[in-house]
Amino acid sequence: SLAESARNNWITGYLARALSDCDAAVTLAKEVRHPDSLAFAWLFHAWIHGYRRDWHHAVASSETGLTTARQSGCVQTLAWNGCVHGWAIGHVGDPTSGEAEIAAAVEASKGIMGHVALPQFSAMMAEVLLVRGDLMAAETCLTQAMDFEHSRDDGYFAAEVRRLSGVCLGRLGRTDEAKAAVAELLR
């Protein structure tokens, strides 16, 4: 609950609260000694540090999450930590490896019905593609995320997808479409 609360705080703009909840989630999961809960807490810890653009901390947290999930056989949290780790390493200077890691982790997650966070992972992939300068692939990724959201009537991560779409379209020189994507955030 603390880890999920952290993500909800992030989405609603409370980054300091989000970080506090993540720290508390890791502390509690260590005390409880439940490996999947701990891998899940490290996942959110890495996400929140990434959202704060603290990429080196995000890499470290996701590596700890990967190790915890791998050692305890927590397949879903292993895949999700892999997505976040790829996103983070894509931002610290290795976007090609980051892209490959996210792609492999998303496929692993899909294989076990882990579609729940797919728009979020698609946005992370798009962000790494933007870092790499592959604007067309980033646009394709964001379009797929929007299609997925619409097909499931799931707008939980829509604001971030629209924000990144605006960034991508702006970099492509499609200013009117970029403005429309950003204007959709205000609706």
Side-chain angles (χ1 to χ4, degrees):
S1 293
L2 284 168
E4 289 284 351
S5 175
R7 184 170 63 174
N8 291 338
N9 279 323
W10 168 74
I11 285 176
T12 56
Y14 299 104
L15 285 178
R17 245 188 264 163
L19 188 55
S20 176
D21 282 352
C22 280
D23 290 339
V26 168
T27 299
L28 182 60
K30 285 178 180 177
E31 289 174 14
V32 173
R33 297 179 188 215
H34 185 266
D36 200 31
S37 294
L38 184 56
F40 196 68
W42 281 117
L43 166 76
F44 280 92
H45 200 267
W47 266 336
I48 297 306
H49 279 283
Y51 295 140
R52 295 174 61 92
R53 302 301 190 224
D54 179 359
W55 296 113
H56 293 287
H57 213 128
V59 168
S61 295
S62 59
E63 285 174 352
T64 303
L66 284 166
T67 299
T68 303
R70 195 176 292 115
Q71 289 174 347
S72 59
C74 301
V75 180
Q76 187 65 63
T77 49
L78 178 65
W80 286 356
N81 272 289
C83 288
V84 176
H85 187 259
W87 176 56
I89 65 170
H91 280 281
V92 296
D94 194 356
T96 301
S97 294
E99 176 188 357
E101 189 168 352
I102 295 169
V106 165
E107 286 309 307
S109 184
K110 284 180 182 177
I112 51 176
M113 300 304 292
H115 292 89
V116 126
L118 195 55
Q120 187 167 11
F121 296 138
S122 296
M124 290 175 171
M125 175 68 89
E127 211 173 333
V128 169
L129 292 166
L130 287 168
V131 167
R132 202 178 80 198
D134 192 344
L135 303 177
M136 297 306 292
E139 181 183 26
T140 299
C141 203
L142 291 164
T143 299
Q144 290 171 347
M146 285 185 261
D147 291 346
F148 186 86
E149 289 172 343
H150 290 302
S151 71
R152 289 178 170 65
D153 195 27
D154 177 9
Y156 188 76
F157 207 68
E160 182 67 358
V161 172
R162 299 307 176 282
R163 183 191 71 78
L164 286 171
S165 182
V167 169
C168 184
L169 292 166
R171 288 187 189 172
L172 285 166
R174 293 162 43 197
T175 310
D176 289 341
E177 291 176 73
K179 288 178 185 176
V182 173
E184 198 169 316
L185 289 171
L186 304 173
R187 292 184 191 163

